[in-house]
Every structure is written in structure tokens, then in C-alpha cells.
Amino acid sequence: MVQIRDLGRHVGETVGLVGWVETTRSHGKVAFVVLRDGTGLAQCVLVKKQVGETTWAAHEGATQESVVTVTGEVRADDRAPGGFEIAVSEMAVLAEAEEYPIQPKEHGVDFLLDHRHLWLRSSQQRAGLRVRAEVEQAIHDFLYDRGFVRIDTPILTGSIGEHAGTLFETDYFGEKAYLAQTGQLYVEAACPAFGKVYCFGPTFRAEKSKTRRHLTEFWMVEPEVAFADSDENMRLQEDFVSYIVERSLERCAEELKVLERDTSRLELVRPPFPRLDYTEAVERLKEKGSEIEWGADLGAPDEAVLTEEHDLPLFVHNYPKSAKAFYMKENPEDTRTVLCDDLLAPEGYGEIIGGSQREDDLDRLRERIREEKLPEAAYSWYLDLRRYGTFPHSGFGLGVERTVAWITGRHHIREMIPFPRLMNRLFP
RNA sequence: UCCGGGGUAGCUCAGUUGGUUAGAGCAUCUGACUGUUAAUCAGAGGGUCGUGGGUUCGAGUCCCACCCCCGGAGCCA
């Protein structure tokens, strides 16, 4: 057996293939079966006079998605998708598929999501998920090369990362437990052990969001760096994002073509990225007619207005304290604000990173926990990190699906994860 | 939770001011065809019009309630 991606090396030879029937076209005395084996597509040509009766009869049972084996000679032909085809001498059906629900035509999103377990086989879905896999690999490679240690953080947690009310609650032997909505507090704990660390895994938000940018279960990478300030944090972010984009362009050119992605703007992505202070951003928005007031978080339309002005991702940094989480460090130059940044992707894809320098002063951190009325006891271990050798440190979280949606140019982040969990969707 | 759009064949949709037996394309089945690229051509089968109630001689169409889906807002990555 050979793999379809290697057919070019076997021209003139007789080879065996095994795979799933993607499409068939029959003309009475000649038939075309397009086979998919996970590495590519191969058009298999059957001529009635040249194959045995058994094989000709077999091809009639080769319905869409049936598993078949094929033996035949490889030849180059411009009429074949991929440039090579198989002149079939023998074909056998190993598993005949029932009538396949997903046809080569348009379907509604709801129907496709109901059939997500089958939809994965479609060409654009294959391409998108392959880009996702490449992005994930790029994330690990970049961080590994820079000396980060991967820390796997718990999914079942007792303490709360950010704001309550958006957590999935579960029973833990009679005690309340929550599905993690961030691994950040734990990577902060690992930071004094290894200096540079990151976690990578699923996170859970019970937000009742129904937009193309939200999932209830999504994957996030969260690097954390000891002795890095907010400025270094942003420099790491722009290097990181640029590397991920470059790797995708380099190794997923074929997939991006299948997805009809215009890559010209992605090719511009390299550091430095433009930076806009929150206070400047509000002024800019007011000039443009927005009704935003200083102190409020930026709305989705505000973000769109700001990113329209740039080809590159845009940092908006130093937001008001009131709009951000308790663990962010107060900005010494303007104590109304904290040292943090959001990275907004271009072309309307929105926030792909949220990052900050962390509050390393014990008293101020405890004060913020009280202000936010968070359960102080649950954070005692987190406060310990400020008792036993506190240190300046910064980190950020990058959303994998949003990043992949931007790189692939897909409208919906729900296509960027194999089995999306949405507010109204727990199956398949 | 709020705002907007929608639910008719397996799928994607059309369906006029309420009016005879609810239509099309694709898919399926039957037949024709030796180079197709979502092949083409001819024919056939296929419907609890989201659910419940109401108005009417008559409801897919009008009214009320509910359910579900999509898009957006808020929140966030």
C-alpha cells in the first residue's frame, strides 16, 4: 500500500491504495472514483472493458464514504485533481457506506454541526483543522526553543480565576468544584520553579454568548515570565504571534488555498505591532463619534474602528482598573489604570490575546481581592506567592480558535475546533 | 437577558390579497452514456408546512401562547 501524497514517486508502477470514497462519477462504460486516504485525493479510473466483472460490480457498490481498496497503475494526467490518477485493474469494497448525509452541495450550519462527526471529513474542514494542528505545534516549538517549561494546570479547581458567575460548577465528592477558566494562577505558582513557563489546554466559560467569536470550551496557551515587565510582555506577544503566522504560511500553503484565504495581509505580520494606550484610544474613538466614556471597556464596534486603521494586529494597553481583573498590577504612572494589554487581530477578528503584568505586592493584591469581593480564603495559596519571594512577572493568554480563525480567514471559530461546545450544543 | 431574522420533502429553498391535488433544485431509485471534475439527459417515489390553541365555509398563509435555530449586543480568548 502507498499513501496518496506519494503517488508522484510511483508513476508507471502498479500500486495499492486504501481509503474512503469521496465522490463517484459513472458513465456507463467508464467510471471515476475519487479516493481519500487522509494524505490526499486520488482519482481512480475504471474502464469496463479493462477491469474484471467482479471489480466493475464492486465499483457500483462503492457509495460515498465506503472504504475500498484499489490496485492500478499510477499515471500523470492533467485532468486528474492533484495531477496523478490510478488506472484501476482491481477494486474491492471493504465496507459499504449507507447513504451519506453530507452531499457535495450547500448545507446549513445547524445541519452541519449536527453531523460534525462526519463534517470533519470535508475538504475545508480538513484544511482548517490541519492549520489548527500546525498552530498548536508552532506554539510548542516557539516556547520550547525559548526555554519555557510546559506546566499542565488543573481543570478541576476550587478557586476562581476571574469573575464568578461564568463558571461551570460540578460536584466534587460533596464539595463545589469549577471547571478552570484559566490556568494563569497556577503558572504563576510554577514561575519561581522554572522562570519561564506556560500552560496549554482547554478552558471553560459558562457565558451565554452567541456570537461567532465564542465557545464555552476553548483552548488557550498561557505563558508566564519571571522578571518581565509589561513592555517585555508585549514584545514576547508580537514575536509569538508573528512566528505562528509565519509557520502557518510556510507549512499550510495548500490548506490556506483550499480555504481561499487571501494571505497578502498575513504576510505583513511581523514585529513591532502598533500600540495604543487606552486613554489615547478613547480620545480617538470620541473623535470618530463613539459615545465611549473613559473607564468603560471597549465594545466590539469600538475595537473594529481601531483595528480598521491598521494592517497589523494592534495592542491596546493600560486599561482602567475597573474594566480588568484583580491580579493586574497598578500602573505607577497613572494609578487609575493597570499594566495590561489586549491584542486585537486585524480584519475584524477581535481580541486574540489578553495579557498583563501581575500585582506582586501582597497588600495591594489582598486589597484588590477584597474590593472585588472575592472569597479571600480560596486565594490564600495565591497570596503565598507574594509572601515567599515575590517578584515582578507578566504573562498572557492566547485563544487558539480565534487565532486560527483569523489565520484561515474563516467566519466562525466553531469550525476551528474539532467538536465545538456551544451554549446549545453538547453533541456530537 | 435584550434586539433582529427564521422553522415547508433526506438537504437547500420558493409558495401572491386566505381558495381546488403544496412546488423547484440537489440527493435516492430506474434507464441512457468511454474522460468526468458538484458530469449530463429521461422517468419515478418522497410532505404531521416547529408544537398547541383560535378566527374562518376554507389556514403553509391571519391572531395568541410556547419550543427550537441563526445573527448581533453584553461578557470575554
Side-chain angles (χ1 to χ4, degrees):
Chain A
M1 291 288 171
V2 302
Q3 295 197 310
I4 290 171
R5 71 150 74 91
D6 299 329
L7 282 185
R9 300 210 301 263
H10 297 278
V11 175
E13 295 171 29
T14 295
V15 300
L17 298 178
V18 62
W20 295 263
V21 173
E22 180 123 325
T23 57
T24 56
R25 291 178 289 275
S26 187
H27 299 261
K29 287 174 185 161
V30 64
F32 302 88
V33 174
V34 177
L35 198 67
R36 180 187 75 244
D37 75 346
T39 71
L41 297 177
Q43 171 165 284
C44 305
V45 186
L46 292 91
V47 177
K48 194 172 182 179
K49 276 197 287 191
Q50 292 164 16
V51 298
E53 260 177 51
T54 329
T55 290
W56 188 255
H59 110 271
E60 289 173 335
T63 53
Q64 190 183 358
E65 294 303 322
S66 290
V67 178
V68 301
T69 55
V70 162
T71 307
E73 190 187 325
V74 182
R75 62 190 179 204
D77 193 310
D78 290 340
R79 293 169 295 186
F84 301 99
E85 66 180 18
I86 307 290
V88 175
S89 45
E90 278 178 61
M91 172 182 280
V93 177
L94 300 186
E96 186 172 329
E98 293 176 24
E99 187 183 336
Y100 195 62
I102 300 181
Q103 300 159 9
K105 54 168 291 209
E106 292 204 8
H107 291 284
V109 182
D110 197 44
F111 176 84
L112 290 169
L113 285 171
D114 282 342
H115 296 85
R116 183 58 174 169
H117 51 296
L118 303 176
W119 189 25
L120 296 180
R121 305 179 189 190
S122 304
S123 64
Q124 291 200 323
Q125 297 308 307
R126 297 197 302 268
L129 293 176
R130 205 180 275 277
V131 174
R132 177 195 173 97
E134 186 59 39
V135 165
E136 291 182 335
Q137 193 60 52
I139 285 169
H140 293 303
D141 290 349
F142 176 93
L143 294 169
Y144 184 85
D145 287 348
R146 295 212 174 193
F148 282 74
V149 175
R150 179 173 176 178
I151 300 295
D152 296 322
T153 55
I155 286 169
L156 287 167
T157 62
S159 61
I160 297 167
E162 293 173 10
H163 299 286
T166 58
L167 291 152
F168 286 107
E169 194 180 301
T170 184
D171 176 72
Y172 194 74
F173 306 112
E175 205 178 332
K176 277 182 189 173
Y178 305 92
L179 300 187
Q181 59 175 197
T182 171
Q184 184 206 312
L185 273 47
Y186 298 96
V187 286
E188 280 191 61
C191 214
F194 301 102
K196 292 195 276 190
V197 294
Y198 75 103
C199 64
F200 185 93
T203 51
F204 307 88
R205 307 268 166 103
E207 292 157 4
K208 293 189 174 176
S209 303
K210 289 167 90 172
T211 82
R212 65 172 193 260
R213 299 185 304 279
H214 287 86
L215 297 168
T216 54
E217 177 180 300
F218 66 95
W219 288 62
M220 188 155 69
V221 55
E222 296 176 273
E224 192 73 29
V225 180
F227 307 109
D229 63 15
S230 188
D231 178 64
E232 285 168 280
N233 195 28
M234 284 187 270
R235 291 212 305 271
L236 178 63
Q237 290 166 42
E238 61 198 10
D239 286 350
F240 188 48
V241 168
S242 301
Y243 178 80
I244 292 167
V245 170
E246 193 189 333
R247 269 278 292 263
S248 303
L249 289 172
E250 229 174 70
R251 303 199 191 182
C252 293
E254 204 50 49
E255 283 76 15
L256 294 173
K257 211 162 118 189
V258 168
L259 294 164
E260 296 172 332
R261 175 60 158 132
D262 173 5
T263 55
S264 58
R265 289 183 68 177
L266 292 176
E267 277 153 18
L268 304 172
V269 176
R270 58 178 66 101
F273 296 167
R275 295 185 186 187
L276 195 58
D277 185 82
Y278 168 85
T279 303
E280 292 166 15
V282 168
E283 279 165 26
R284 179 86 56 91
L285 286 167
K286 279 183 169 171
E287 281 167 25
K288 296 210 167 196
S290 170
E291 291 180 3
I292 189 167
E293 288 300 325
W294 197 100
D297 204 354
L298 265 43
D302 294 323
E303 289 184 0
V305 167
L306 294 174
T307 52
E308 263 171 28
E309 300 173 354
H310 304 274
D311 284 329
L312 294 175
L314 169 71
F315 283 115
V316 179
H317 57 100
N318 298 357
Y319 282 71
K321 214 180 271 183
S322 54
K324 291 290 173 183
F326 73 94
Y327 51 73
M328 296 185 180
K329 188 174 179 61
E330 190 176 279
N331 180 5
E333 286 169 19
D334 179 355
T335 55
R336 300 175 303 164
T337 64
V338 285
L339 296 170
C340 69
D341 66 271
D342 285 353
L343 183 65
L344 309 179
E347 300 171 70
Y349 285 92
E351 186 181 344
I352 56 171
I353 283 181
S356 68
Q357 185 166 341
R358 318 308 190 185
E359 183 54 77
D360 48 63
D361 182 90
L362 175 64
D363 293 333
R364 239 175 305 189
L365 184 59
R366 191 163 37 201
E367 199 178 303
R368 289 288 291 132
I369 287 174
R370 287 176 186 160
E371 274 170 24
E372 299 281 328
K373 298 193 170 67
L374 295 167
E376 201 174 323
Y379 291 96
S380 67
W381 68 265
Y382 184 66
L383 290 166
D384 270 358
L385 305 176
R386 279 69 184 170
R387 286 192 181 96
Y388 304 106
T390 196
F391 57 106
H393 58 293
S394 301
F396 62 92
L398 174 135
V400 170
E401 291 79 13
R402 285 188 184 177
T403 303
V404 177
W406 164 49
I407 290 173
T408 56
R410 298 304 285 179
H411 186 64
H412 259 288
I413 73 165
R414 61 193 58 172
E415 285 180 36
M416 302 348 293
I417 185 166
F419 295 95
R421 295 287 94 117
L422 303 159
M423 208 174 116
N424 302 317
R425 196 170 285 280
L426 197 52
F427 297 98

